[in-house]
Amino acid sequence: YLAKHKLSSDLKNFDLGSVQCSSEFDRKFIYEAISTWYGSVANFTDFVQDELREELVSPILSSSMPLAYYLILVTPSLSVYLEVFLALWKGGAPSDVMISHALASLLGYCLCWCPAYLALFIFLCDRFASPRSSKCRDRLQSFAIGMIVLIVSYAGNIAARYSFEQGLYHSMVWAVFALFAVALAGCKGRWC
């Protein structure tokens, strides 16, 4: 994430005079070509700092990821909860227990909460991507972001488990809350 912010800054502050060439012949040839194509070196510099920067950096700077990619990332936990669901079904569990599990664990946690906390992870990494005064501070920041996301993930897992244990009503409430969380993350992450 730091590299994409550096690219944006480098293009915004582009100066053709600071670019190095391997030979004077190359330098003269490049300057002549630029003057022919863009009218002047100043026009080329403006083009790089504005139009080219916007065209190259806009897609990179958006910290969004398609929803399908999030769903691929949650496939392992989804398969675990589907296995539990199948065990409940094969074991003859009452339908309200199965529906409660489907709402709390499959829908609430796997399909809603997990993509929401992954979106939070990407947002935090992008938001705080700036060099720190030391490598130790960089690592501490990365550790802190990881811990925040881990806590959010664990809280969702606990909420799903508690909701399932409390019954259908609690599972519905948790699923609605998780749907709200993923909708909010999706709108911020540009899934909407």
Side-chain angles (χ1 to χ4, degrees), residues 11-28:
L11 287 172
K12 187 174 185 171
N13 299 315
F14 176 77
D15 178 23
L16 189 60
S18 66
V19 176
Q20 297 177 355
C21 289
S22 58
S23 71
E24 188 56 37
F25 174 79
D26 289 346
R27 181 180 198 77
K28 188 176 179 182

Side-chain angles (χ1 to χ4, degrees), residues 14-144:
F14 176 77
D15 178 23
L16 189 60
S18 66
V19 176
Q20 297 177 355
C21 289
S22 58
S23 71
E24 188 56 37
F25 174 79
D26 289 346
R27 181 180 198 77
K28 188 176 179 182
F29 179 78
I30 291 170
Y31 271 69
E32 286 177 12
I34 287 173
S35 294
T36 301
W37 294 334
Y38 292 92
S40 71
V41 171
N43 288 346
F44 177 71
T45 300
D46 290 342
F47 170 75
V48 170
Q49 291 176 347
D50 297 328
E51 295 172 47
L52 183 64
R53 178 180 164 270
E54 183 64 31
E55 185 176 326
L56 294 177
V57 174
S58 290
I60 296 171
L61 282 183
S62 73
S63 59
S64 64
M65 186 167 70
L67 180 60
Y69 291 4
Y70 286 100
L71 295 177
I72 288 171
L73 289 173
V74 301
T75 300
S77 64
L78 183 63
S79 67
V80 168
Y81 286 108
L82 278 172
E83 186 176 350
V84 172
F85 182 80
L86 289 174
L88 289 171
W89 179 47
K90 289 295 225 177
S95 59
D96 64 323
V97 171
M98 291 177 54
I99 293 170
S100 184
H101 174 74
L103 286 172
S105 301
L106 295 173
L107 177 64
Y109 182 72
C110 291
L111 296 177
C112 295
W113 194 255
C114 288
Y117 79 72
L118 290 170
L120 173 67
F121 181 66
I122 290 172
F123 168 77
L124 290 174
C125 288
D126 188 51
R127 170 65 179 85
F128 294 105
S130 60
R132 301 287 167 226
S133 58
S134 71
K135 294 245 184 228
C136 183
R137 288 186 72 188
D138 279 339
R139 289 184 179 112
L140 282 173
Q141 177 178 295
S142 296
F143 178 76

Side-chain angles (χ1 to χ4, degrees), residues 163-178:
S163 299
F164 169 63
E165 291 170 355
Q166 295 304 309
L168 191 56
Y169 175 75
H170 287 86
S171 294
M172 285 190 291
V173 169
W174 162 246
V176 168
F177 178 77

